[in-house]
Every structure is written in structure tokens, then in C-alpha cells.
Amino acid sequence: MQSNPLLGRIAWNTLIALLYLFLLAPIIVVFIISFDTRQYLAFPPESFSFGSYVKVFQNVKFISAFWRSLVIGAIVGFVAVSAGMLLSLSLVRYQFRGKAAVGFLILAPFLVPHIVLAVGIMLVIAPLGLLDSYPGIVLAHLGITIPYTVRTITMSLMAVDTRVEEAALVHGASPRMVFWRITLPLVRPGLIAGGVIAFLISFDEATISLFIVSVKASTLPTEIYHYLEYSTDPQIAALSVILILISVAVVMMVEKLIGLRKAL
Amino acid sequence: MADHHVVIDNLVKTYPGAQKPSVDHVSFSLPRGEMLALLGPSGCGKTTILRMIAGLIAPTSGAIRLEGRDVSSIAVYKRNLGMVFQAYALFPHMTVAQNVSFGLEMRKVSRAEREERVRKALDLVKLTGLGDRKVNQLSGGQQQRAAIARSLVIEPELLLLDEPLSNLDAKLRDEMRDEIRDIQARTGVTAIFVTHDQDEALSMADRLAVMSAGRLEQVGTPREIFDRPQTEFVASFIGAGTFFEGRVAEPGLAVVEGLKPLRFVGEAPVGSMVKLMIRPHRLVLAGSSGLPNSFTGTVEHIVYRGQMLTLNVRCGGRLLQADLPTHAGVLPEKGSEVTLAVAPQDVTLVGQVAP
Amino acid sequence: MSAAALPAAGASSANASRGVLLMLLLPGLVALVITFLLPLIWLFRASFASSTMGAFSGGDWTVQSYSAVLFDPFYWRVAWNTLVLGFNVAIFAVILSYPIALFLVRTESRFRGVLTALAVAPLLTSSVVRTYGWMVILGDRGVINSTLQSLSLTGGVIRLTNNSFGATVALIEILMPYAILAMLSGFGRLNPQLEEAAAMLGANRVKVFTRIILPLSAPGVLTAALLVFVLAISSFVTPRLMGGGRVFVLGTEVFNEATVTLNWPLAAALSVMLLILFSSIILLYQRALRALET
């Protein structure tokens, strides 16, 4: 509406800017304080240095947790994408009895609080001796990531015009060739987006992980959590910045591939 | 022109950062009770003009006068105009009656009067008894009618319609075209509508304003626009035709390369280059090739269209299009030689060519 | 996978072989059953078991965990704290998110994509990291306290962390992206043409807001409020870290019983009660949504 008084517009834009500032405040502050040199949490920083970063890289506990998180995230991403691709194919291309039930089961983990799931998973894998193990934490993360991979892959799959596949069949491609040469390349954005989201959820997840792992399979977020219970020094800020940068990379990738809003 | 109901005076709209104005010094006017069509290809600025009249965007310069009063600085919600949006913009959370009643509520009309006027408006657009329906329970044509009722119930000073028929299928479109014309005639409301469809414009409007690239090309009655296009754009945008370039040898006579001299009606200085146009249906079969304004050539292509036969005749290196009535006796065949003739008043001067 | 038999063209989907379908479904379904369905069943079973340290015996059925919770005033206080936290977080997160969502839906800025990503991207940064950010901001020597002190506005330190205030503020911010996302999807019926139409019919800016924008965005707002509420009442990382062990909500108690006290049946019983609370809120929400739509 052009009848906007200029003043109202400025007030509105200021409000939006302030709300954004609130939303991004913790990330901004963590970034600033990661360059502080002191041993304790205080603001504003006294001087500028990369000391905290150096300390993080020398901290064996954090570094090994970082690698573990990376490996766990990668495995979770791969398995969730594979299972998600198969589930999406069955949901998009098949009619079968119980389809609605399967669809509900896939979406249901969105509807159950993580902490409840965490207790349940803990109870299931404890008797199997999988607490604080790689298989245990991977399994725990699969339930909450598969819904995301199914969502992104289903979206990509539904956008594929089946006439393209028919055209390939008519022109002599076997169903196997059609799958590998036509369908799979066409849904690749959804596969990659689903994979990196699954990776990131696993990489950042703290709630469920805290119930499942303690020492041997501890992930980076659980290490940070336990560290924060006793100390809040800028080392954590440096570590957080690294985590944030990984998130930013993933966000940009997903945004480019299929649009962030659709994926979440 | 000054006493006309709606006067658009030197309207300009330049969007921030744009190189060229979207609307470039456009002026036209409209008497009370008439319907004007803003016609042009997409992006020509016609919708921008409509939205400026509505008050939804502010003009860069120029005036919009209703009854001689400049309204261009009045806020949109105080202008008292009706508008039918392209996709109707019916409020999805209200019933049909609530939609129609909305403008009256804003004007603080009493409840009893509101109900009465809503009922009348729904009767007018033949939606009697459908007031309690939800908007999404209406068909496309019914939504259109509801949108018209909503904009007319407030007794607007002017009714604006943005591509009113574009969201309807072909059959409904013909029906709504007559319907809108009928409603407008019965209510006597002055109306402006935007369209890119020349048939729609010619059949519905009392007056056409043809636009191209932000500029007004010509304003006139449908007949004037079709028969006496003043610019090459108008001539080519509305209806088909064959164009010629020629040099004026004497008043009303142009020499066209490869053809006999053409007699035409219109003022052009001797020695200047002019652009001429002949409508296909103005050409007739001629007995002999000796007549003035006649063309002799070979039939290259024939399309039979029931009442009409469309010929493409190769003549002096160019293709001439002619529509002949199929009852015109012996019809030419492909490859045969024909002679076509045209009256001087049907050779239209559509512009001068810069030397 | 047996790609040869994949339903490549979708043309024969009706009579596609059952075997292929089974193979497509099996891996994912097995994973979901193990990591989702089974845990919920186990949880339910465990909540009726007698407590043993770090395990539960499958033999007997008892309601001792439930009675332990229901007859202990401490848990009633915990439940009350959880609800208060949930309501406060939901209300403020929705109020603060609404302008952003509205702005993102209506803006014609060419930075719209970037701004949208910026608003929802915090979802993908670890909540532990963002909680830490709030510890930095609200801590005794944090951004707010040091700013206030350097302006000599306050004598001493204002306690903003290690209490429920800090937990509430941090949760509001951490859950705002969910609210924004829910609103963006719920604002589908908002459309600038409707606002224009209302303005043409004589509605001023206030009327356009109250009569058009607000009713059309109400379902999205309701969904956002529900989402934030359920996420807030089941959170524990943020209340634990921001509360410094002094904030007791259902989430922190579940974690405590499961990993510190190792009373798993009690943890399970608390979880089941949280789930019941959760489900009843969702049912209420569906009622409210239906009421809004008629």
C-alpha cells in the first residue's frame, strides 16, 4: 500500500531488525567471544587472539569427539538417505494396502518429543549392550533423520515427470538403465539435501545422544554439554564457531539444492 | 474533455531504478456511464495505470481527476472505487455475503441496510440465495460474479476490472462478457477494464485506449480503432493486414516498389515515405487487371475457413493476404493467377517513415 | 537393490511385483520400528516395571513408579514448572516471531530468500551452542550485566542465569525458528491482493490488519504456538544448562532419573506422562483449529 507513512515504515523495519538481532544474538556473541584471551566468560572481550582456537585444537577430548561425530554423522546420513530413497520410491510410485500407515510411521517421529524417544531407545538398546557404542548412537539417530530424508527425496521424486522415464523406456532403455540414468540423477538434489540434513542433525544432536553415550562414543555436542556444566570459558566459543560454520555450509548447500524452507 | 467523468492527465510512473518509465505521459478521458478498455500486450503499462487510478500505487507525476477533482493523493481506502481483481481476491475466511458486505461495514452502514443492499447486489449478479456459501464452494464464474457484486455494492464512483475474463474457460468467457456489459449498462457505472485480448476489448468497450511500451498509441471507439488505426502498432496489434511502404507521388497517391501506384485516403506531404495497410477482408476479386488499386499475382496458399477463404497471393515479390467470402462465385485455386482490388478509402495511412 | 524390477515408468505401478515393494519398504521400516516404534512400546512396558538400578525386569507389572510420581508434591511442582515454562516460551516466541513471519511473507525485497534462510537457519545450529551463546549474554559477567555496569545503571550483578528466567529467554530464541517456519507454511492464504481488495473497499491499515491479515494468519499462529509449546515442555538441555541445576522441569527430571539415579522405570513413567500431556495438547489444538476454520 503506497499510503504507508514513511515513519511507520521506518518503525516497522526497525522492529524487524531488532527481532533479527535477538534471533541471531547468541551466534553473534559466541563469534565475538571466541577471540577473547581470558580463562573465564566475560564480555566485552579484552583483546583479540586465536588462543581459544589453538586450545581447542590441542584438546584431545574435543578433537576425538569431533572425529567421532563426523563419522557417526556420515554413517547416519548415508543410511538415512538409502532407506529414505527406498521408502520414497515405494510411497510415490506404488499403491498398496497400509500405505497410509507407513506414511504415518515415517512422519510420527516428528510428533514425539526427543526426550521421550531417548528414554525409549535407551531402554531398547541397553539390554543389547549397545549403550555408549557406535551402532547404538547410529541407530538412535536414524529414527529422527529418516523422516527428513523421506521428505526431501519424496519432494524431488514427485517433481520428476514420469513421462521422461517413459520416453527413456520407449527409446530403448531398460528399467534398470532408466533408474540409474534418469530417475536417480533427477532426484539427486533431494538425495544430497536429505543426506546433509541428516548428517547435520546427527552432528548437532544433544538430547538423545546424552542418554545413549557417555565416554567411548561421546559426540561433540555431548562433550560440550558436559564441559558447560562446570565451565564456560571461551574455548567453547571457538568450538561453537566451528560448529556454526559447518551448519552454515550445510544451510547454504541445502538452500541451493532444494530451498531451505521446503527441506525443514 | 474537461467535463468528462474520468480524466487521466499526463500520467507518468517510473519505478525506482528503472531506466524507462513504465507509463509515459498518458492522457485520456471518459464520459459518465461509459466503459473503456485499456488494451495492449503484457508489460505495456496498462495494469500500472489501473493500479494508479485505484490508488494502489502512486504516480510519479500527472493527475487522475474524477468529476474534476484530483484524487491522486487520496488514500486508496478513501477513494470509493470498485475493483474486480484478476484472481478475484475474495476473502477466503468469509462467506459470499460477508465478502459483499465488507465494503458497507467499512462505511458503517447499518445492519438492516447492509442486508438489503447485499441481497440486491447478489440478485444483480444472479447469485440469489448463495450468500451463505463459502467462497471456495463457488465455481469460477460464480466467484467472478461475487467479486463484481462486492465492488458494486458500495456504489463506487468508478469500477475497475483487471483482466476480468482471463481466469475463465472459453465458454464462460463469452457468457461473462455479455453479463458484465449488461450489469454495467444497467447500473450505469463508469468502468475501466484492462485486457490483452482485442476481441474482448472490441466487443465490450465503448472506447478503447491502445497502449504499447508505456505510451498511449490511440484512443477511440472500437470502429475507429479497427478501421482507422493511426499508428502501425495499432494496425498490427488489432486485426490482420498487409503493410506497404511507399513514397507519396501526389496527394493521395503513393508509389510502392514492384506494384502499381496505390491510391489512399489521408494527409501526407508529397515526397515523404508513408506506411499503408490493407485489411484482408477489404480486398475483392476484380475482373480485369486494368483497375486502379489492383494487384495481380499467383495464389500461393489457400486456407478454407467455412465462411471465408484466406488467400496468400504472391504479387510483385510480396505476399498479400486476402479474405474472400466463400459465396463469391468461382473461387481461385492454388497456383492460379488472380487480380485483387481495393477501394482507396480502405487503404489506411498508418504512419510516416523517417527518411 | 534389484534395480531391474524397479517401477521405472510408474505405468505398471498397479501390478508391480510385491517382492520389489517389500524390498523397498523393508530397510526403512525395520530402522523405524527399531528406533521408534519399539522404543515407545518398551517405554510403556518399563513404566510398569519395578525399579532396579540401571535395568528393569520384565516379569512383573506394577504401578509403583506412577504412584511414586503422583503422590510426591515435588513432581506436581515439576509438572507446574514445566507448564509455566511452556506457556511463557510459547507466548513470547509467537509474539516475537509473528512480525518476522509477516515481514517475510509480504516483503518484495530481493533479499527475501537470504532473510528467510537467516530466520530459519538457526534451527540447524546445535541447541547446545545457542544455549552457550545465551550463557554469554545473560551470565553474571555477560553482555547485559557488563553493559549495565559500564553505564552505571546498576550497582551489583543482576542474576539472569541459573534461574528460570534465563531458561525461558534462551528457549524463546532457540524455538523461534520453529515458530517462524510454522507460520510461513500456515500463512498460505495471506495474499497481497486480498489486502488491496480490502483497501479498495474502504478498509484502512488497522482494519486490513484486524479483518484480513489476523484472521487469515490465525491457523499458522496456532500451529506455531503448539509446536513451540510441545518442544519447550520436552526440552532439557537448555533448562539444565541455563538453570544451572536450579530449574526443575519434566525434561531435567527424566534425564536425572535415567542417567544419574538410574531409576529407569521412573524415567519411563515420567516420559509416558509427558507423552500424555503432549497428546492432550495436540488434541486440544486440533479442536481449536477446527473451531477457527468454521
Side-chain angles (χ1 to χ4, degrees), chain A residues 110-113, chain C residues 82-83 85-95 97 175 178-180 182-183 217-235 274-289 292:
Chain A
F110 279 134
L111 299 173
V112 173
Chain C
T82 310
L83 284 177
L85 179 78
F87 275 117
N88 284 338
V89 171
I91 288 167
F92 283 101
V94 162
I95 291 175
S97 301
L175 298 180
Y178 290 96
I180 293 170
M183 288 182 192
S217 58
V221 170
L222 197 61
T223 308
L226 167 88
L227 188 63
V228 171
F229 181 79
V230 296
L231 288 171
I233 63 170
S234 58
S235 65
L274 186 64
L275 206 55
I276 291 170
L277 193 64
F278 209 82
S279 316
S280 26
I281 297 287
I282 290 182
L283 284 179
L284 272 178
Y285 157 78
Q286 280 173 337
R287 280 264 174 87
L289 200 64
L292 263 184

Side-chain angles (χ1 to χ4, degrees), chain A residues 1 3-5 8 12-13 15-16 19-20 22-27 29-30 33 40-44 83 85-87 89-91 93-97 102 105-106 108-117 119-127 131 138-144 146-148 162 165-166 169 174-176 178-180 183 197 200-201 204-208 210-211 221-222 224-226 228-229 231-237 239-241 243-244 247-248 250-251 254-255 260-261 264, chain C residues 1 3-11 13-14 16-18 20-21 23-25 27-29 31-40 42-43 46 54 56 95-100 102-104 106 113-137 139 141-143 146-147 169 172-173 176-178 180-181 184-185 195-196 199 203 205 208 230 234-237 240-241 250-252 254-255 258-259 264 267-268 271-272 274-275 278 282:
Chain A
M1 265 170 288
S3 53
N4 261 345
W12 172 247
N13 286 346
L15 173 71
I16 298 297
L19 289 174
Y20 264 98
F22 178 72
L23 194 55
L24 299 173
I27 293 174
V29 164
V30 161
I33 208 148
Y40 55 90
L41 185 67
F43 200 86
M85 177 71 201
L86 301 183
L87 284 175
L89 268 176
S90 64
L91 287 176
R93 297 293 169 79
Y94 281 86
Q95 295 303 327
F96 56 91
R97 246 186 318 149
V102 171
L105 182 64
I106 292 170
F110 279 134
L111 299 173
V112 173
H114 280 185
I115 191 164
V116 173
L117 263 185
V119 176
I121 294 172
M122 181 188 79
L123 291 171
V124 168
I125 66 173
L131 277 184
V138 168
L139 267 179
H141 284 174
L142 277 182
I144 53 167
I146 287 179
Y148 284 95
T162 49
E165 296 173 340
E166 285 167 359
L169 280 176
S174 67
R176 175 198 284 274
V178 171
F179 178 78
W180 288 108
T183 315
I197 289 179
L200 194 63
I201 289 173
D204 280 346
E205 212 286 327
T207 306
I208 294 178
L210 278 167
F211 282 82
T222 64
I224 298 178
Y225 174 88
H226 287 306
L228 281 179
E229 282 187 309
S231 164
T232 53
D233 71 59
Q235 209 184 137
I236 296 296
L239 198 52
S240 299
V241 169
L243 256 71
I244 291 168
S247 297
V248 168
V250 167
V251 164
V254 174
E255 172 75 17
L260 190 60
R261 246 195 78 194
L264 292 174
Chain C
M1 72 189 88
L6 280 173
S13 57
S17 81
R18 292 241 153 259
V20 175
L21 178 61
M23 260 192 292
L24 290 177
L25 286 171
L29 287 188
L32 283 171
V33 165
I34 293 179
T35 66
F36 176 70
L37 214 51
L38 215 52
L40 287 187
W42 231 248
L43 183 76
F56 71 92
I95 291 175
L96 298 179
S97 301
Y98 189 68
I100 293 186
L102 210 54
F103 165 79
L104 288 174
R106 295 152 52 93
V114 179
L115 290 169
T116 310
L118 211 56
V120 298
L123 263 188
L124 291 179
T125 50
S126 177
S127 58
V128 178
V129 166
R130 289 162 72 206
T131 303
Y132 172 71
W134 281 105
M135 294 165 100
V136 177
I137 295 171
R141 281 181 291 202
V143 179
S146 55
T147 309
V169 172
I172 290 169
E173 188 272 341
M176 267 174 71
Y178 290 96
I180 293 170
L181 206 59
L184 286 179
S185 341
E195 296 168 35
E196 290 179 359
R205 289 162 59 78
V208 169
V230 296
S234 58
S235 65
F236 91 89
V237 170
R240 172 69 186 78
L241 290 179
L250 278 175
T252 58
V254 170
F255 184 62
T259 65
W264 288 1
S271 302
V272 169
L274 186 64
L275 206 55
F278 209 82
I282 290 182

Side-chain angles (χ1 to χ4, degrees), chain A residues 10-238:
Chain A
I10 291 171
W12 172 247
N13 286 346
T14 311
L15 173 71
I16 298 297
L18 284 174
L19 289 174
Y20 264 98
L21 186 66
F22 178 72
L23 194 55
L24 299 173
I27 293 174
I28 297 168
V29 164
V30 161
F31 192 77
I32 295 172
I33 208 148
S34 72
F35 298 107
D36 200 354
T37 46
R38 281 168 297 180
Q39 275 307 303
Y40 55 90
L41 185 67
F43 200 86
E46 271 185 339
S47 55
F48 178 91
S49 87
F50 287 98
S52 302
Y53 290 89
V54 173
K55 245 187 270 167
V56 167
F57 286 112
Q58 288 166 347
N59 187 324
V60 181
K61 244 184 164 174
F62 286 152
I63 291 301
S64 53
F66 177 83
W67 287 116
R68 272 198 298 276
S69 282
L70 217 57
V71 170
I72 292 164
I75 297 173
V76 167
F78 179 77
V79 177
V81 161
S82 309
M85 177 71 201
L86 301 183
L87 284 175
S88 303
L89 268 176
S90 64
L91 287 176
V92 175
R93 297 293 169 79
Y94 281 86
Q95 295 303 327
F96 56 91
R97 246 186 318 149
K99 185 172 171 171
V102 171
F104 179 75
L105 182 64
I106 292 170
L107 284 177
F110 279 134
L111 299 173
V112 173
H114 280 185
I115 191 164
V116 173
L117 263 185
V119 176
I121 294 172
M122 181 188 79
L123 291 171
V124 168
I125 66 173
L128 305 173
L130 292 177
L131 277 184
D132 203 17
S133 74
Y134 277 82
I137 188 72
V138 168
L139 267 179
H141 284 174
L142 277 182
I144 53 167
T145 50
I146 287 179
Y148 284 95
T149 57
V150 170
R151 178 187 294 197
T152 60
I153 298 169
T154 301
M155 259 177 5
S156 293
L157 206 54
M158 285 201 293
V160 173
D161 186 348
T162 49
R163 281 171 300 187
V164 174
E165 296 173 340
E166 285 167 359
L169 280 176
V170 168
H171 289 104
S174 67
R176 175 198 284 274
M177 286 306 279
V178 171
F179 178 78
W180 288 108
R181 298 285 301 278
I182 309 292
T183 315
L184 210 53
L186 285 174
V187 298
R188 190 155 49 204
L191 288 175
I192 300 175
V196 296
I197 289 179
F199 165 81
L200 194 63
I201 289 173
S202 163
F203 192 78
D204 280 346
E205 212 286 327
T207 306
I208 294 178
S209 307
L210 278 167
F211 282 82
I212 305 300
V213 298
S214 47
V215 187
K216 282 181 286 169
S218 70
T219 62
L220 199 47
T222 64
E223 285 293 344
I224 298 178
Y225 174 88
H226 287 306
Y227 194 90
L228 281 179
E229 282 187 309
Y230 304 103
S231 164
T232 53
D233 71 59
Q235 209 184 137
I236 296 296

